[in-house]
């Protein structure tokens, strides 16, 4: 990103932070703590899912009826599914001066005594909150480190496997010693679990995490060979993923393949995954849904160093053994993810198929 844009954004955010804080300081007498707790959880689907057991511990300590969860507009439906009492936090309310001022006044007036930021990323909100107890992760990047001083209690997360990070959050926020394995999510009780179709999530947050549909078609031919009687359901959202799904159908034909890309709500796509016998996908929110639902899956990663690589019995993670040098597809040119051999995918597929039971 252009450094001039970063500098401009940094200055604009600083103006919003300090000016809104100054204005709100005149209303401090109206902000009366009443024992309520505000949890900030505004990062991605996968981030929210891997912290579900941490949220259970927070609810146990503070009482579920006292807790409100601040979430991005697009993710409040996920919060509702998980049983949270959500407060919508739009992009406009985070970035626009007057919308943010109004939102911060509203939050400060709701009677919160404790604020806990459980995100893995930065926090631009804490500086505009006059809640007595403010707990969160310190972010040491220059764009946001000025916000750290507004916490009354803070901690630093290491760059580690994500469930180990959640374990450290439990220790630093709640003073509870619990392992990442013990905090592994299990949301199967929220959905009807079946063993029906094969679900293929065709996208991720970045194109570098997604292989060419030409290669995915080769993988799915192996799936059709091993699971001849199972329907393949394609899921995802957005124009890019819709084009990807159409390309797959062009390559494979539409016999026993159903395209649900852009045709499901978030809740509906979770229900589809819950009813699957096998999930195939990339590093994405839906992969973490598969992880949290404890459904069998074969997951393609561009390398073996990701914080979200879950080495659990119900998932087979496939990474490239060596990076190819030729570009397979100009639209999906990432060499790493396109270097996973069909034979390696097939081996993982056979292993997960033959896994009868698993304990964890």
């Amino acid at each position: 990103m252009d450094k001039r844009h970063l500098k401009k954004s940094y200055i604009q955010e600083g103006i919003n932070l300090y000016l809104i804080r100054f204005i709100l300081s005149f209303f401090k007498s109206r902000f009366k703590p009443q024992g309520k707790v505000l949890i900030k959880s505004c990062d991605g689907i996968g981030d929210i899912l891997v912290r579900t057991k941490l949220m259970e511990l927070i609810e146990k300590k503070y009482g579920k009826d006292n807790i409100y969860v601040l979430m991005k507009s697009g993710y409040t439906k996920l919060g509702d599914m998980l049983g949270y009492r959500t407060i919508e936090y739009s992009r406009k309310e985070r970035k626009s001066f007057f919308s943010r001022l109004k939102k911060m006044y509203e939050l400060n007036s709701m009677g919160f005594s404790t604020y806990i930021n459980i995100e893995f990323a930065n926090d631009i909100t804490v500086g505009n909150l006059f809640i007595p107890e403010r707990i969160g992760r310190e972010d040491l990047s220059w764009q946001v480190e000025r916000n750290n001083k507004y916490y009354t209690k803070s901690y630093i997360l290491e760059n580690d496997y994500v469930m180990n990070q959640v374990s450290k959050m439990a220790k630093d926020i709640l003073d509870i010693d619990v392992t990442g394995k013990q905090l592994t999510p299990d949301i199967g009780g929220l959905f009807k679990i079946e063993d029906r179709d094969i679900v293929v999530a065709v996208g991720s947050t970045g194109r570098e995490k997604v292989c060419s549909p030409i290669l995915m078609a080769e993988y799915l031919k192996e799936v059709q060979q091993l699971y001849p009687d199972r329907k393949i359901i394609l899921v995802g959202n957005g124009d890019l993923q819709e084009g990807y799904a159409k390309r797959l159908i062009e390559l494979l034909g539409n016999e026993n393949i159903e395209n649900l890309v852009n045709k499901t709500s978030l809740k509906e796509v979770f229900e589809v995954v819950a009813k699957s016998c096998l999930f195939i996908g990339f590093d994405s929110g839906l992969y973490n849904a598969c992880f949290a639902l404890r459904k069998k899956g074969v997951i393609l990663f561009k390398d073996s160093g990701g914080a979200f690589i879950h080495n659990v019995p119900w998932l087979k993670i496939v990474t490239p053994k060596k990076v190819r040098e030729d570009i397979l597809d100009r639209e999906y040119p990432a060499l790493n993810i396109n270097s996973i051999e069909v034979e390696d995918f097939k081996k993982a597929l056979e292993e997960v198929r033959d896994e009868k039971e698993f304990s964890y």
Side-chain angles (χ1 to χ4, degrees), residues 200-204 206-221 234 240-241 243-252 280-282 300-302 324 326-342 345:
V200 180
V202 298
S204 182
R207 201 178 292 212
E208 76 283 355
K209 297 180 180 180
V210 180
C211 75
S212 164
I214 299 171
L215 188 55
M216 177 58 79
E218 295 302 310
Y219 298 150
L220 294 185
K221 288 176 184 177
L234 308 179
L240 190 64
Q241 294 183 34
Y244 192 106
K246 288 179 179 178
R247 181 68 174 132
L248 279 178
I249 291 172
E250 288 174 3
L251 293 165
L252 294 168
I280 297 169
F282 306 101
L300 309 172
F301 266 76
K302 63 185 179 68
R324 63 187 299 158
D326 60 306
I327 295 177
L328 179 68
D329 185 340
R330 292 290 175 183
E331 290 189 24
Y332 291 87
L335 295 181
N336 281 49
I337 194 70
N338 282 313
S339 296
I340 297 173
E341 299 289 346
V342 174
F345 175 86

Side-chain angles (χ1 to χ4, degrees), residues 76-84 190-191 266-268 270:
T76 54
K77 295 294 184 184
L78 175 58
D80 295 341
M81 275 192 283
L82 296 172
Y84 304 156
L190 301 177
F191 300 90
L266 187 61
K267 182 178 181 181
E268 288 168 341
F270 271 56

